[in-house]
Amino acid sequence: MMRVLGFINNSFNGLQKHKGIAKIKFKANPLGFNQFRSRGLSDSKFFNGNDTVLPVLIVGAGPVGLVLSILLTKLGVKCAVLEKGKSFSKHPQAHFINNRTMEVFRKIDGLAEEIQRSQPPVELWRKFIYCTSLSGSILGSVDHMQPQDFEKIVSPISVAHFSQYKLTASLLKQLEDLSFHIHTSEAFEGLNCRPLKGQEILMGHECVSIDATGQCVDVTVAFLKEGKYMEKNIQCNILVGADGAGSTIRKLVGIDLRGEKDMQKLVSVHFLSRDLGQYLINERPGMLFFIFNTEAIGVLVAHDLKQGEFVLQMPFYPPQQNIEDFSPEICKKLIFKLVGRELSDIDVIDIKPWVMHAEVAEKFVCNDNRIILAGDAAHRFPPAGGFGMNTGIQDAHNLAWKIASVVKGIAPTSILETYETERKPIAIFNTALSVQNFRAAMSVPAALGLDPTIANSVHQVINSGVGSVLPSGLQRAILDGIFTIGRVQLSEHLLTESHPLGSMRLAKLRHIFEEGKSLQLQFPAEDLGFRYRKGALIPESDSVLGAPELPTGRRRDYVPSADPGSRLPHMNVKVLSNLSNEEICSTLDLVSGDKVEFLLIIAPVEESYHLAHAAFKLAKEFEVSAKVCVLRSAGTKGIEEGSNAALTPWENYIDVVEVKRSSTSPSWWDICQMTDKGAILVRPDEHIAWRAKSRVVGDPIMEMKRVFSAILGVDSTKR
């Protein structure tokens, strides 16, 4: 259903007051994603080869939008990016990059390696520290890195700590290498005279209306040029809203969010102090510092101790408090109270209020699959565990190959519906996990006698109960008084083993840390082990798709799985070739990042070679690339002529051999819980689309036809 916003007043003098109109006409889709469509019907109109229509327009130049533009460009899809900000934010924001996202970054030339080189040493950020002040008593600490996190057994790369604005700069450099150009509204001449050619980022350009009733999506863009308000119309085939938690695109198309709003209001203070950074390096290095004392409470995020870059998060209770109460001078005093001493070089850069939500959009794809939401526009989580940016980047990874499949005529537009089918359950799961992790963070102050839920309840009573009739000054005095009384629970003489109440609270705190019930940083099982249960894949007929496992809020180890929908398990393999230096790589590296290509993994078994022939033949019929990996057991030497003879005349295959960590390590097929007569078909996003556990039953040609038809959503009989 369409939501219509207020129409544009062209005499408007500034973008801040502007309201757009969403001219969207939603049409019922008669065919679901799991039903076949023949190419060349409605989709031939979708991409008509008109140079004035941009294949993909991405709104939002945050990490999600930039990563999507890189992945699409590498896949040969023209795209452009709109960003309403006139410059890129220097506020650090997100900073933890999880394992799966780092694997995605390995597909972007040199990006993962650059992050690893540039991030602080892991010894400076592996711990969360709980204390009365940064120079006072330590109440406890949690080391979030375990030995297996560095051994690269389950992944070819480790997690990283790298601030969002630094990541943005690295992504822009990648786009520059891909011939992207950044234009400002002031500098971009001829914007109104020509259509977008792709490989452009337009800064200071805001989407104000959308008309998706025709054969393409008409986007009206507003910008200021030489102080004058101007508009431009851009036509695109697919519009992706990656424009953050307050997404304009989501609002214009009228998609609602479901979940928990306004969980907590906070103020974020970005500041620099090399003095503090050096002190913490020497005395108590860590990533997060939870500080509780009688004068102030806050969480300090150490983005880079060597550079002395920090963000302080503090509770915020409007309207009794307002952002003017957090001036740079007041923030400095609060920082001194939390540090426990004055600093010689503190420099407050930025002060921002923000609201924590836990919500997921009702729809990720709408209007005949032409308008799509990704990242925070589709889901917004509490920051606990760092799932926000990571989930968004993985959205982009899922979406890129599907958009490329549509643009290149490989699949009908219905394949885009599988993006929502696959990613929405992950977003819902990660929302629940983030909320659980946030509740775990709140358990620490609650154990100290300072339950945040009580503070929020008091604030709610003042705002909506009998307190709301009191003068604002009195409301504030009451709130401040209650908080001051509450912070008395944190006095040094009370929080000691010699005090009965303090001893009991400290024991409770130790139990929380020892049992892993405090805020967690890593979730290997959820990070690498998430699984798509429906979508562009073929579930196994003998498996029962019950409800996915509920989040525990605790760290659980990842167990490799080759079930359809799972990420391809990692194992080091050696590429067999004529070269003297045989390359060692991950199984994940066998999947191409530069084209829409499916990877069939088999053992050198006659039946599997027949299957490979069938896969090559059907891939050609379906106009999609296929590569075969012949995976041999450990100890195989040199080139195997067997594959050459068995796969002729097909050439797109590779021979590899297992590189086992030790003689007792499981083989590849054991890891996958399969026999070597089985086979695995991997999608371009490294998730498993189909497998045969032991052997293919029946005609391999018919089976491969069924597989490609179902995954791509194409009815081969109507081709």
Side-chain angles (χ1 to χ4, degrees), residues 550-562:
L550 294 174
T552 66
R554 312 280 185 87
R555 174 174 173 142
R556 295 185 298 124
D557 289 335
Y558 162 70
V559 178
S561 170

Side-chain angles (χ1 to χ4, degrees), residues 322-568:
N322 56 65
I323 195 61
E324 287 74 25
D325 296 330
F326 295 87
S327 66
E329 284 306 313
I330 291 174
C331 287
K332 285 182 182 180
K333 292 177 181 177
L334 288 168
I335 291 166
F336 294 155
K337 291 175 181 178
L338 293 167
V339 171
R341 64 179 180 88
E342 293 196 0
L343 301 170
S344 61
D345 63 347
I346 188 169
D347 181 14
V348 175
I349 305 297
D350 195 14
I351 302 165
K352 287 184 176 181
W354 62 282
V355 183
M356 186 187 301
H357 306 283
E359 298 176 299
V360 177
E362 288 187 312
K363 292 185 65 63
F364 286 18
V365 180
C366 66
N367 205 49
D368 288 340
N369 313 319
R370 294 186 293 176
I371 300 176
I372 303 168
L373 302 180
D376 287 354
H379 42 71
R380 45 194 197 180
F381 313 143
F387 283 97
M389 181 181 74
N390 289 293
T391 305
I393 288 169
Q394 291 158 32
D395 288 345
H397 193 222
N398 179 288
L399 183 58
W401 75 272
K402 295 175 180 177
I403 290 178
S405 296
V406 174
V407 173
K408 292 177 178 295
I410 295 168
T413 59
S414 57
I415 197 172
L416 298 176
E417 296 167 24
T418 70
Y419 163 69
E420 177 178 318
T421 303
E422 293 175 358
R423 293 303 300 170
K424 186 176 178 182
I426 303 301
I428 292 170
F429 183 94
N430 287 351
T431 303
L433 186 55
S434 298
V435 170
Q436 283 192 3
N437 210 22
F438 173 68
R439 304 292 186 213
M442 296 300 99
S443 70
V444 171
L448 296 173
L450 199 67
D451 191 338
T453 59
I454 296 175
N456 291 334
S457 297
V458 169
H459 184 231
Q460 187 174 4
V461 168
I462 292 175
N463 282 334
S464 58
V466 293
S468 61
V469 301
L470 299 174
S472 59
L474 184 55
Q475 289 182 28
R476 175 167 181 152
I478 292 171
L479 192 68
D480 289 345
I482 290 171
F483 290 166
T484 300
I485 293 170
R487 288 195 300 270
V488 170
Q489 308 292 320
L490 306 171
S491 63
E492 293 272 7
H493 80 272
L494 179 58
L495 284 179
T496 176
E497 295 291 354
S498 60
H499 193 289
L501 181 58
S503 177
M504 180 185 71
R505 287 177 173 172
L506 291 173
K508 187 174 182 180
L509 203 59
R510 283 193 298 272
H511 177 74
I512 289 173
F513 296 144
E514 290 167 0
E515 295 294 316
K517 294 180 178 179
S518 62
L519 178 70
Q520 298 296 299
L521 179 65
Q522 289 210 69
F523 294 88
E526 292 80 7
D527 177 1
L528 298 175
F530 68 87
R531 177 187 171 196
Y532 304 136
R533 293 172 171 262
K534 295 189 296 182
L537 55 92
I538 300 181
E540 291 173 339
S541 58
D542 60 347
S543 65
V544 178
L545 282 179
E549 188 174 355
L550 294 174
T552 66
R554 312 280 185 87
R555 174 174 173 142
R556 295 185 298 124
D557 289 335
Y558 162 70
V559 178
S561 170
D563 291 337
S566 301
R567 156 203 172 265
L568 179 69

Side-chain angles (χ1 to χ4, degrees), residues 616-673:
F616 279 130
K617 182 178 184 300
L618 268 298
K620 184 178 180 180
E621 180 181 320
F622 281 83
E623 300 172 16
V624 66
S625 179
K627 180 168 71 175
V628 169
C629 170
V630 183
L631 198 151
R632 302 171 182 278
S633 59
T636 304
K637 303 290 185 182
I639 286 289
E640 290 296 321
E641 295 298 332
S643 293
N644 194 15
L647 293 176
T648 299
W650 307 105
E651 297 179 350
N652 194 21
Y653 65 87
I654 185 171
D655 278 283
V656 303
V657 61
E658 298 174 339
V659 178
K660 297 175 70 172
R661 296 178 60 85
S662 70
S663 59
T664 59
S665 298
S667 72
W668 166 254
W669 300 107
D670 288 339
I671 289 172
C672 295
Q673 298 183 347

Side-chain angles (χ1 to χ4, degrees), residues 1 24-33 37 42-47 55 210-217 236-239 253 255 363-372 403 406 411-418 420:
M1 192 173 179
I24 305 291
K25 183 177 180 182
F26 288 94
K27 301 176 182 178
N29 188 354
L31 293 173
F33 75 86
R37 292 181 180 178
S42 61
D43 294 310
S44 66
K45 298 178 181 178
F46 199 95
F47 292 96
I210 304 168
D211 183 350
T213 57
Q215 289 188 359
C216 59
V217 181
C236 62
N237 294 120
I238 295 175
L239 176 66
V253 298
I255 294 176
K363 292 185 65 63
F364 286 18
V365 180
C366 66
N367 205 49
D368 288 340
N369 313 319
R370 294 186 293 176
I371 300 176
I372 303 168
I403 290 178
V406 174
T413 59
S414 57
I415 197 172
L416 298 176
E417 296 167 24
T418 70
E420 177 178 318

Side-chain angles (χ1 to χ4, degrees), residues 243-292:
D243 50 340
S247 172
T248 299
I249 302 301
R250 187 185 66 234
K251 293 172 183 175
L252 286 175
V253 298
I255 294 176
D256 291 329
L257 294 164
R258 289 287 178 264
E260 190 173 352
K261 293 181 184 291
D262 300 340
M263 292 180 65
Q264 181 76 57
K265 294 180 174 67
L266 299 108
V267 169
S268 176
V269 182
H270 178 205
F271 71 95
L272 302 176
S273 174
R274 288 188 179 272
D275 180 6
L276 178 58
Q278 195 57 50
Y279 167 76
L280 291 173
I281 287 173
N282 294 335
E283 300 296 329
R284 50 181 74 170
M287 177 192 282
L288 296 187
F289 297 84
F290 299 81
I291 309 164
F292 308 97

Side-chain angles (χ1 to χ4, degrees), residues 10 25 93 124 189 226 325 414 431 449 457 546 588 596 652 660 685 695:
N10 287 325
K25 183 177 180 182
Q93 297 173 284
L124 299 185
E189 296 296 333
E226 298 176 352
D325 296 330
S414 57
T431 303
S457 297
L588 297 168
V596 179
N652 194 21
K660 297 175 70 172
D685 62 354
R695 59 185 295 271

Side-chain angles (χ1 to χ4, degrees), residues 31-78:
L31 293 173
F33 75 86
N34 58 341
Q35 293 176 284
F36 296 128
R37 292 181 180 178
S38 59
R39 292 194 297 242
L41 300 175
S42 61
D43 294 310
S44 66
K45 298 178 181 178
F46 199 95
F47 292 96
N48 53 24
N50 188 339
D51 289 340
T52 65
V53 180
L54 185 71
V56 182
L57 179 63
I58 300 166
V59 179
V64 175
L66 296 179
V67 167
L68 180 59
S69 64
I70 292 170
L71 296 176
L72 287 174
T73 303
K74 286 171 67 66
L75 291 169
V77 176
K78 282 187 179 181

